[in-house]
Amino acid sequence: MLFKKKETVEPVTLSFDDYLTTVINVYESIPSSVSLLKPKMEAIFSDSYDFSERNFSLPSGQKSYLCYLSGLINEELLDDNVIKPLLHREENIEVSDDFENILTLKSFQPVTTWENTVELILAGNVLLIVNGVKPVVLFLAEKNLRNVADPTTEYQVYGSKLGFIEDSRTNVGIVRQFIQDPRLKTKEYQLGKVSKTHASLVYLEQYVDVKTVETIDSYLKGFNQKHMLSLGQLSKYVSRHPNSIFPQASKTERPDHVAYALTQGKVVLFVDNSTFCLLAPITFMDMLETSEDHSFLVSWNLTFIRLVRLISLLFGSSLPALYVALVAFQPELIPTTLTINVAQSRAQIPLPATAEAFLMLFALDVLVEASIRLPSFVGQTIGIVGGLVIGTAAVEAGIVSNVMVIVIALTAVAIFTLPNWEFVSSWRIVRYAFVLSAASFGLYGLVLAIGFLCLHLAKLDSLGRSYLYPLTPFDGKELKNFFKPQR
Amino acid sequence: MIKHTNFKKISLIILIIMFSLSLFGCADTREIDQRTIVIGMGLDKTEEDEYIVTLQVPILVPNGATESGTNDFETITGKGEFVWEAITNLEASTPTVLFFGHLKAIAIGERLATEGMDHIIDLLDRRAPLANEVFLLIIRKQNDVHDFLNQESPLISLPALYIDRFFGADQKVSRTKSVRLFQFRRDHDMVSHAATIPLAYSNEDSIFIEDLGVFHNFKLVGELKGHEAGVGMLLKDKKVDHMNYSLDIEQPNTNLKASIRVNLVNNISYDKTNPVKMNFNINGKGELVYLYPEGIYSSQETLNKIVRELEKEISQDITDTINKMKRLNVEPWLLGHRIWAMDTEYFSTLNWNETGWRDAEYDVSVNVEIEQTGQRGMLDKKKIGD
């Protein structure tokens, strides 16, 4: 048989509640006896080497049992504030309220349901049971957090040197340092039935559009996926056009950018375990902005920089396509001396201009992709080798023309002037589409492709806000403000 | 319902794409290196009455292959009973397809121009790949058109590019005037059926483009030489810049020599008489660029003498030029068209092409003011207010 017959696999139910029912009877109350509770806990956390237990007897003779996930709790606090006081207690412990007088701990609570108890243990807390007394959960969770550090992906010259970390609550705190106003509102969510990831929605009341908050709130409340492990997943979930190649939310790890976005009426989404947060709604023009732009002392610098980015975007997306269209279809539109130069540079090239363009674009993207995740010292080597191979060697070997190398080099440099990497990636795809269109139908094809792209952009929206605002709907004041902000 | 809406949407998208693509009209997907780029074209007739077409094409060698790094070129020649036949004959001797998209100039032999070139213009005008912005030139009899196109100027290697740069630089010397194919056609289609084309020739060292050939009914019938070309511009475009005059003024003791560069503006009007009387009211501003003998500073009296002489000279040039064209009964400056456009009825009474232009009367008044005397070295000149 040439192809293996596809086997039908029954979907595995991964619901947390369902899993518990297969291990224990969740409808039973949690027992107050160590001998009954211990085997159940061991069953729930079977095959987990980090599940730790401690059995000991109190001076009064009562048996005690503690269980937790090591690595998530502060064991020093557990020894000093829980175990030592218990071992010094000589009287019998009758009810859970007696713990108030024994433990030198900030907070604990008696257990309620099995689900809640297991969730709290997973969150890094400790379950304590003394024979004959209702078990309690001791809040000793200590998250593994790193210190606040420099943002590593959004380098800026003049901007602040502060970046977010992997804890959404800490990140909200950082934002509060930037905007000390009671109108800064925060909402929290638990996303994913399995991952139970904590997410925070932050916005500035009276600045934000109420409808935007309502929309995103309803999206997050209705989140019914099992996992929420990355910000990209959340971004696709809150996008109304998930199949578009343009991002409808932007990512940042810079608190100053978030603070600026909040004052622009955007909402911010933080998710645990990600150093980035999501900003929405965003527009095409937002993708050309950085928070650093406002650090310029002279406003004309900002005008210049934004114009440079806009022109670079045009160059970076359409230059290879323009080259293909002009060389293969409409050479009469190139100035005569340049035509002669181009024709001379292509005299011994075996590939047609279209293949040449695709080859070079692909080589460029391979180079970018190869060097992006490498350590900086290897990345530099890749850059040099790639530059030599793509540049000099390819020309000398007669595989590509030197004009093509100039076109690709300019394209590569131009597109990276855009501050948003996600946006850059989108335009890289557009670039291929443009070249394909130009290779098929010449300049007419390129114009047609640009026309379709404009249509798509005009149709796109981010949480109800037009993507091309302030161009459509036209807002001259806002447009002027983009290039030359008011005082 | 949803499926129906989706179907409609998809059908609409497919329709839009189909219609958009059906508008695509360029099936010519030839790469730049698969085309023989024609930069210049020469047209002439042999003594056997055969058309001879010369094409100037750059030789495409990879960059760095030539020692000098300059663009080398080649001229290829073909003959035929018709111009088109000669061109198609040429296609047989070139490796790739002839591409006229970069044609800069068409050089036409004087012999062909004298015999009449209506069918040439028709062919050039009719062929779509040939831009109607190409410059036209008449090559004087002393040169073969092929030799002219083969002439390498030390300044710019490709002769056709030399012509393009020459006219593109808007030459400040008013000796000639660029004429593009559409301009020639346009002027020729006006009431006088006359137009001009610059004349050119080359010697071993360089290329010369000066004077204008006058065409009537697509035949070369005369020439406008030197100042006459500048006067032609003044009469047609109503202005001319940088006309140069050198005057020799007789004085009791010593003759005065002066060179003046002058910009002139012409105000044309006419009296509705029969024959028509045209009034050329010319005002100009001049610059004294040379005065001899040394030491004679341009006093007001000297300046007045120079201005009077200059005005007389300009007036004489205009009179001579108009009379020359009247003798040929050719009016290449759209003067008749001006009258036709303003008053067609009156124009029809003039019998312009037969006797109207020849009998036309005219009055020329010239008024020149010297704006700059250029006496930077005059140390004892008085300060203003002294």
Side-chain angles (χ1 to χ4, degrees):
Chain A
M1 202 191 292
L2 188 60
F3 297 104
K4 192 183 170 188
K5 196 179 173 188
K6 197 178 176 185
E7 287 173 13
T8 330
V9 182
E10 286 294 317
V12 180
T13 309
L14 290 169
S15 161
F16 173 60
D17 298 344
D18 289 348
Y19 174 72
L20 275 185
T21 55
T22 62
V23 185
I24 53 162
N25 184 359
V26 290
Y27 302 108
E28 273 182 9
S29 60
I30 299 172
S32 305
S33 156
V34 173
S35 55
L36 290 175
L37 182 65
K38 190 182 169 190
K40 290 193 174 173
M41 293 311 294
E42 283 172 348
I44 293 167
F45 291 102
S46 60
D47 297 330
S48 306
Y49 78 89
D50 57 338
F51 179 67
S52 307
E53 300 169 290
R54 281 173 84 164
N55 292 293
F56 55 96
S57 293
L58 302 187
S60 63
Q62 280 176 300
K63 281 192 170 178
S64 301
Y65 170 72
L66 276 169
C67 68
Y68 53 86
L69 292 169
S70 60
L72 290 179
I73 69 153
N74 186 332
E75 297 208 24
E76 213 173 303
L77 278 179
L78 179 70
D79 279 343
D80 292 348
N81 299 345
V82 179
I83 295 175
K84 276 183 191 167
L86 279 172
L87 291 176
H88 286 98
R89 169 82 177 188
E90 291 185 352
E91 295 90 30
N92 246 6
I93 303 170
E94 304 288 333
V95 289
S96 57
D97 283 349
D98 287 348
F99 289 123
E100 292 272 6
N101 304 322
I102 305 165
L103 306 178
T104 52
L105 204 64
K106 207 158 59 181
S107 67
F108 60 88
Q109 70 171 45
V111 293
T112 50
T113 61
W114 280 105
E115 289 89 350
N116 180 253
T117 307
V118 173
E119 267 179 30
L120 288 170
I121 293 172
L122 287 169
N125 299 303
V126 179
L127 179 70
L128 167 67
I129 178 169
V130 175
N131 239 351
V133 182
K134 198 177 183 185
V136 288
V137 174
L138 314 172
F139 291 103
L140 284 168
E142 188 182 63
K143 276 197 171 180
N144 299 310
L145 297 177
R146 63 181 174 91
N147 290 331
V148 175
D150 284 8
T152 49
T153 54
E154 291 174 83
Y155 179 75
Q156 289 188 358
V157 182
Y158 304 112
S160 71
K161 304 285 180 274
L162 190 66
F164 288 127
I165 60 164
E166 288 83 355
D167 182 49
S168 59
R169 288 181 184 87
T170 312
N171 291 344
V172 171
I174 294 171
V175 175
R176 282 222 183 264
Q177 288 177 24
F178 278 78
I179 298 178
Q180 294 171 7
D181 192 302
R183 284 175 295 180
L184 185 73
K185 303 294 179 191
T186 55
K187 288 184 177 186
E188 62 175 352
Y189 307 87
Q190 204 175 47
L191 306 178
K193 282 179 187 166
V194 175
S195 62
K196 295 194 184 304
T197 316
H198 180 266
S200 319
L201 172 68
V202 182
Y203 59 91
L204 204 53
E205 204 173 84
Q206 293 179 346
Y207 282 75
V208 73
D209 183 2
V210 183
K211 272 186 189 165
T212 308
V213 178
E214 282 171 3
T215 312
I216 204 153
D217 186 53
S218 68
Y219 276 149
L220 293 175
K221 280 181 178 161
F223 190 90
N224 57 2
Q225 293 175 15
K226 285 160 191 158
H227 307 281
M228 221 312 289
L229 298 173
S230 73
L231 209 59
Q233 201 184 337
L234 187 63
S235 161
K236 282 191 270 295
Y237 186 74
V238 298
S239 297
R240 281 169 51 160
H241 311 276
N243 290 325
S244 170
I245 52 169
F246 291 100
Q248 291 136 62
S250 70
K251 279 193 286 192
T252 183
E253 59 168 347
R254 299 192 62 89
D256 52 350
H257 193 153
V258 166
Y260 177 65
L262 284 168
T263 59
Q264 283 184 317
K266 293 187 175 68
V267 296
V268 184
L269 268 173
F270 289 102
V271 178
D272 261 3
N273 310 320
S274 172
T275 55
F276 286 83
C277 64
L278 272 190
L279 304 176
I282 51 134
T283 63
F284 182 87
M285 294 299 195
D286 288 337
M287 294 304 204
L288 305 176
E289 288 186 4
T290 68
S291 55
E292 190 188 30
D293 290 353
H294 297 274
S295 307
F296 284 117
L297 302 179
V298 178
S299 62
W300 292 110
N301 287 340
L302 188 141
T303 312
F304 176 73
I305 287 288
R306 290 196 170 164
L307 278 174
V308 164
R309 284 189 197 136
L310 208 58
I311 294 164
S312 300
L313 173 67
L314 289 176
F315 270 121
S317 57
S318 58
L319 204 60
L322 196 66
Y323 173 82
V324 169
L326 290 179
V327 168
F329 285 82
Q330 280 95 2
E332 60 270 24
L333 296 181
I334 317 175
T336 304
T337 40
L338 185 61
T339 309
I340 295 168
N341 281 338
V342 172
Q344 278 176 343
S345 77
R346 283 196 45 79
Q348 298 294 326
I349 307 298
L351 299 172
T354 311
E356 204 187 355
F358 273 122
L359 180 76
M360 291 300 284
L361 281 178
F362 185 69
L364 170 70
D365 286 333
V366 165
L367 199 66
V368 170
E369 205 50 40
S371 58
I372 206 161
R373 264 176 289 277
L374 289 171
S376 59
F377 52 92
V378 189
Q380 278 174 8
T381 317
I382 292 275
I384 293 164
V385 171
L388 281 175
V389 170
I390 290 180
T392 325
V395 172
E396 282 178 8
I399 296 170
V400 291
S401 63
N402 45 17
V403 180
M404 188 73 225
V405 172
I406 295 168
V407 166
I408 290 295
L410 190 59
T411 305
V413 176
I415 205 76
F416 286 119
T417 57
L418 300 184
N420 191 303
W421 173 244
E422 194 85 25
F423 203 47
V424 169
S425 300
S426 302
W427 284 101
R428 287 198 305 179
I429 301 169
V430 170
R431 202 153 61 186
Y432 281 97
F434 278 2
V435 172
L436 191 69
S437 189
S440 312
F441 307 108
L443 266 187
Y444 173 71
L446 178 60
V447 171
L448 206 63
I450 292 172
F452 277 122
L453 181 80
C454 289
L455 275 180
H456 173 67
L457 285 171
K459 184 181 164 285
L460 215 56
D461 71 280
S462 166
L463 291 177
R465 174 175 272 203
S466 170
Y467 205 61
L468 284 185
Y469 179 81
L471 291 169
T472 59
F474 186 74
D475 186 343
K477 203 175 164 189
E478 192 59 37
L479 192 65
K480 184 172 168 277
N481 204 30
F482 174 78
F483 288 107
K484 177 105 174 42
Q486 302 300 306
R487 292 174 71 183
Chain B
M1 187 66 191
I2 293 168
K3 274 187 176 174
H4 182 68
T5 322
N6 272 347
F7 177 74
K8 263 181 83 176
K9 204 172 161 184
I10 291 166
S11 313
L12 195 68
I13 291 170
I14 292 171
L15 262 179
I16 289 171
I17 292 173
M18 274 173 61
F19 282 140
S20 311
L21 296 187
S22 66
L23 290 170
F24 169 67
C26 316
D28 187 15
T29 60
R30 223 164 263 120
E31 297 267 335
I32 201 166
D33 42 329
Q34 291 166 348
R35 303 172 192 239
T36 302
I37 303 164
V38 179
I39 305 278
M41 180 157 78
L43 299 167
D44 207 353
K45 257 185 165 179
T46 59
E47 283 176 7
E48 294 82 38
D49 253 12
E50 259 188 329
Y51 285 100
I52 176 164
V53 175
T54 309
L55 298 182
Q56 187 185 83
V57 292
I59 298 169
L60 300 179
V61 287
N63 285 347
T66 50
E67 276 179 18
S68 59
T70 53
N71 304 322
D72 216 348
F73 68 93
E74 186 65 59
T75 46
I76 43 176
T77 306
K79 288 178 186 173
E81 202 180 329
F82 302 102
V83 177
W84 186 240
E85 195 185 320
I87 293 174
T88 46
N89 285 343
L90 274 171
E91 279 188 339
S93 61
T94 51
T96 50
V97 177
L98 292 176
F99 172 57
F100 290 94
H102 280 285
L103 185 64
K104 294 289 165 204
I106 299 174
I108 300 164
E110 195 175 339
R111 180 188 160 86
L112 178 61
T114 317
E115 280 185 23
M117 48 183 221
D118 43 347
H119 43 291
I120 304 275
I121 297 295
D122 184 72
L123 176 102
L124 299 177
D125 216 20
R126 221 175 266 278
R127 279 287 294 156
L130 224 148
N132 61 4
E133 288 181 346
V134 291
F135 290 113
L136 297 180
L137 275 179
I138 301 297
I139 309 304
R140 287 186 183 278
K141 264 186 189 148
Q142 66 200 70
N143 282 127
D144 211 27
V145 174
H146 177 265
D147 293 341
F148 179 82
L149 283 179
N150 230 346
Q151 172 70 50
E152 192 167 345
S153 161
L155 303 172
I156 294 169
S157 58
L158 284 161
L161 279 187
Y162 178 96
I163 295 162
D164 187 51
R165 297 265 167 92
F166 179 89
F167 290 127
D170 193 15
Q171 288 286 299
K172 286 177 178 171
V173 185
S174 53
R175 286 163 178 268
T176 186
K177 187 178 186 294
S178 68
V179 174
R180 294 176 189 269
L181 176 59
F182 77 93
Q183 288 170 327
F184 178 79
R185 182 96 214 188
R186 180 196 63 198
D187 290 355
H188 210 282
D189 288 346
M190 300 295 169
V191 292
S192 300
H193 302 296
T196 54
I197 294 180
L199 293 158
Y201 65 95
S202 65
N203 61 21
E204 282 177 6
D205 300 324
S206 47
I207 296 168
F208 298 90
I209 302 171
E210 57 185 4
D211 306 336
L212 288 170
V214 179
F215 282 79
H216 188 234
N217 291 328
F218 295 108
K219 281 185 184 168
L220 181 65
V221 290
E223 279 180 33
L224 291 171
K225 287 186 174 178
H227 278 164
E228 292 170 352
V231 168
M233 266 185 257
L234 185 65
L235 293 174
K236 190 181 170 196
D237 302 338
K238 298 206 289 185
K239 68 178 278 212
V240 65
D241 285 339
H242 306 297
M243 270 189 78
N244 294 309
Y245 277 93
S246 290
L247 305 173
D248 206 344
I249 301 162
E250 282 182 21
Q251 297 238 104
N253 301 328
T254 172
N255 279 5
L256 201 65
K257 292 180 194 300
S259 291
I260 299 135
R261 172 166 274 201
V262 65
N263 300 338
L264 300 170
V265 179
N266 185 5
N267 189 10
I268 304 172
S269 62
Y270 62 91
D271 299 337
K272 285 187 182 177
T273 51
N274 203 345
V276 66
K277 187 182 177 200
M278 311 203 75
N279 305 306
F280 303 112
N281 187 12
I282 291 148
N283 290 298
K285 293 193 187 307
E287 179 191 353
L288 188 64
V289 288
Y290 171 77
L291 192 61
Y292 183 83
E294 268 181 75
I296 296 184
Y297 294 121
S298 46
S299 64
Q300 193 58 48
E301 194 189 341
T302 320
L303 278 180
N304 287 343
K305 264 187 206 166
I306 292 170
V307 164
R308 273 199 303 276
E309 193 60 32
L310 180 66
E311 287 172 350
K312 207 168 97 189
E313 190 108 342
I314 293 170
S315 183
Q316 189 60 47
D317 277 344
I318 293 170
T319 312
D320 290 348
T321 310
I322 292 175
N323 287 343
K324 187 175 181 180
M325 287 299 111
K326 279 173 88 172
R327 282 195 295 279
L328 290 170
N329 197 20
V330 177
E331 186 273 295
W333 306 305
L334 307 182
L335 294 172
H337 203 82
R338 240 175 254 279
I339 303 169
W340 176 85
M342 299 304 290
D343 193 341
T344 317
E345 228 170 89
Y346 166 65
F347 178 79
S348 61
T349 62
L350 292 175
N351 202 15
W352 185 259
N353 283 328
E354 285 74 31
T355 53
W357 165 240
R358 195 186 291 153
D359 299 341
E361 291 168 4
Y362 58 92
D363 179 46
V364 179
S365 77
V366 182
N367 184 18
V368 176
E369 182 191 349
I370 298 290
E371 268 195 329
Q372 293 177 45
T373 55
Q375 298 185 78
R376 282 176 294 192
M378 186 176 168
L379 299 174
D380 58 342
K381 64 184 171 189
K382 278 187 175 181
K383 283 182 187 172
I384 295 168
D386 278 1

